[in-house]
Structure formats: C-alpha cells, structure tokens
Amino acid sequence: MEYFLEVFADIHWGAVLQIIIIDILLGGDNAVVIALACRNLDPHMRGKGILYGAGGAILLRVILVAFAVSIMKVPFLKFCGGILLLWIGIKLLIPHDEEEKEIHASKKLWGAVKTIIIADLVMSIDNVIAIAGAAEQAPGHHQMWLVIFGLLVSIPFILGGSQIILKVIDRFPIIVYAGGALLGWIAGTLMVDDPGISPHFPNLPNLHVEGGIAGAVFVVVVGFIIARLKNSKKTSG
C-alpha cells in the first residue's frame, strides 16, 4: 500500500494531463468504433460488449505503449517517432471529409469484442507513439504506472463524453490547434533528446524547451497553411 501511495505522490501530473489530452483528441474515433461494433447486439448485451471491448483495447494499448517506452533508447528511434508525431499533429489540423466507417457489427458478444480490439489496434499507432513520448518526461521507474493511470483516467472521457467533446472541438477549433501544438511539442522534445544524434550535437539535449517550441510552431503553422489551402480549393471547386 505504501508503494502505491509513493507512486501516486510522485506522479508527473503534467505528463498525465498530456496523456489524457492525447487520448481525447486521438481517441474520439475509437468510441465511435465501439458504438458501431456493438450496434447489432441485443440491448442487454451491449453494456458487456462495450465494457469487454474497451477493456481489451486498453489492455492492448498498455502493452504496445510498454513496448514503445522500453525501446525509446534505441538510437534514432526518438527522432523517427518525432517526425511521425509532427505528421500526426499536422494531420489533426487538416479538415477531413466525412466518410462512413466500414465497421462490421457482429450479433455475437465476442465477435463485437474482437472487432473493437482489432480496430483499436489498427487505429492506435498514433496514440501509442504520442503517449510514449509524453511518458518520457517522468522518471523511468514510474513511466508505465504513469501510462496506465493516464489511460484509466481518460477512459470515461472517451466512452462517455466523446461525442460532447467532439462537438465542443467543432465549435472551438482552437482546442484542436492546442492539441496539435502539444503533439508538436512532444515531437520536438523527443527529437532533440535522441541518443543517436546527441553524440554529434552535444548541446542538443540542453535545448529541450527550444525543441518543443519549434515542434509546436511547426505543426501549427504547417497545419494552418494546409487547412487553408484545402478549404480554399473546396470553396473554389
């Protein structure tokens, strides 16, 4: 019991907040997938389908994040992950055309659960990389507890409030830009801290804040420009 109290007291709350924001911004589609996968279940089975499917998906994500966190010391992996996060952040700011999701809705409980877990696996790569990057801020021995805690806290938001959150985001687009900037910040801090690059640029790890700011600005500026170009093309067409 004392160990868990010590872990709770030492939690890096800034990183936890980042994990929750990442899950809300990048996990809205997962809630939609869960709803679609369970739509053909008997009403009394839908609760179990949602619970088991979400539980399995979260467990799978924890395993994936644990793997990602454990290999973050591999040279140039942080740099590559940072580049991918920059693209994910930019993609978050680009408006997408509404497309119907092709999700197979099973009439059997475990069929729906399997659909949820497989879909979540395919859709969670961006979440995993972003969460692993956010967890890097915490001490190494607390990183996995941090990931698990952040994911558990974000579950009610994703399952219960995702549609409300999405409507708020639609009304206040600045929230999306803040989320994109957060992903850019994490990307920048990962890239300057890469163990494969630091031997060639010894002072680079000291530019943690500067790298984060550069990443955030890059995502917001590039995302804004692409979004404007796409909207103007749609208007002229």
Side-chain angles (χ1 to χ4, degrees), residues 21-53:
I21 293 172
I22 289 165
D23 258 331
I24 290 173
L25 287 173
L26 300 180
D29 286 345
N30 300 66
V32 176
V33 166
I34 291 172
L36 292 176
C38 295
R39 69 183 184 273
N40 286 345
L41 291 176
D42 290 335
H44 68 282
M45 297 293 287
R46 286 178 184 171
K48 288 184 178 180
I50 292 172
L51 182 62
Y52 295 162

Side-chain angles (χ1 to χ4, degrees), residues 7-168:
V7 171
F8 189 80
D10 292 338
I11 284 177
H12 192 300
W13 291 104
V16 170
L17 181 61
Q18 288 184 18
I19 290 173
I20 293 172
I21 293 172
I22 289 165
D23 258 331
I24 290 173
L25 287 173
L26 300 180
D29 286 345
N30 300 66
V32 176
V33 166
I34 291 172
L36 292 176
C38 295
R39 69 183 184 273
N40 286 345
L41 291 176
D42 290 335
H44 68 282
M45 297 293 287
R46 286 178 184 171
K48 288 184 178 180
I50 292 172
L51 182 62
Y52 295 162
I58 291 295
L59 178 61
L60 178 65
R61 194 174 302 180
V62 169
I63 295 171
L64 291 174
V65 174
F67 178 73
V69 168
S70 66
I71 63 173
M72 276 293 186
K73 299 302 179 185
V74 176
F76 302 109
L77 189 64
K78 285 185 180 181
F79 189 82
C80 294
I83 292 176
L84 186 56
L85 270 185
L86 288 175
W87 166 238
I88 292 169
I90 292 169
K91 192 172 67 170
L92 185 68
L93 305 184
I94 301 174
H96 299 280
D97 297 327
E98 292 295 323
E99 297 178 356
E100 184 178 355
K101 298 182 184 296
E102 294 296 331
I103 300 296
H104 172 66
S106 176
K107 293 184 178 181
K108 296 182 179 179
L109 176 62
W110 293 111
V113 171
K114 182 181 70 174
T115 298
I116 292 169
I117 293 175
I118 292 174
D120 191 82
L121 173 63
V122 174
M123 297 167 60
S124 291
I125 302 302
D126 51 359
N127 301 60
V128 167
I129 295 171
I131 290 171
E136 280 281 303
Q137 302 173 53
H141 59 291
H142 284 162
Q143 285 181 357
M144 275 316 300
W145 284 114
L146 181 76
V147 168
I148 293 170
F149 183 76
L151 287 172
L152 288 176
V153 171
S154 64
I155 290 173
F157 291 99
I158 295 174
L159 295 184
S162 61
Q163 297 306 311
I164 297 174
I165 292 167
L166 290 174
K167 288 179 181 178
V168 172

